Amino acid sequence: MTARLAPSMSAAIALTASAALLPALAVLGELRPTWVALAAYAALCAAVGGRSRPSAAALIGPAAWLFHNGFVEHRHGALDLAAPAAEAAHVLLLTAAALTAALLTAPPGPSPGRRYDLAA
């Protein structure tokens, strides 16, 4: 059984991976607000979320959104909330990707009603 990442470490990895994704998107010519860039960030969130605790999703999604909004949508690191509903949808999408992956890869807990012999 592997240990899950703590929320603080998950956020740090999400920030680092989001920054590392930018040059790859630039090579592909996708440093513009398209579905390809958003899908790449959603996949990144799912990858980090799959190794993290479910509570870390609240940090992973916004961390990826910062880079998507600042460098993909508005260039030069300038955050812009001109369309708050669209930006809220992006944050929710990225957070949901991380949460879904974290929940799908969570190790099963003990089933209710089953007794475990702690002395063994």
Side-chain angles (χ1 to χ4, degrees):
M1 184 164 99
T2 61
R4 314 279 282 177
L5 295 173
S8 59
M9 182 58 75
S10 298
I13 291 173
L15 285 169
T16 305
S18 294
L21 182 58
L22 287 171
L25 289 174
V27 167
L28 295 174
E30 293 296 330
L31 279 183
R32 52 199 166 109
T34 61
W35 66 270
V36 174
L38 188 60
Y41 275 100
L44 180 138
C45 287
V48 175
R51 299 286 300 154
S52 304
R53 298 176 189 162
S55 60
L59 299 173
I60 296 169
W65 173 82
L66 287 172
F67 281 89
H68 181 265
N69 184 288
F71 293 100
V72 175
E73 289 185 12
H74 303 292
R75 304 285 187 129
H76 309 296
L79 295 177
D80 188 11
L81 296 174
E87 297 307 328
H90 290 163
V91 173
L92 287 174
L93 173 77
L94 297 172
T95 303
L99 181 61
T100 302
L103 291 175
L104 289 176
T105 59
S111 59
R114 186 170 175 186
R115 295 191 157 189
Y116 292 92
D117 185 15
L118 299 178

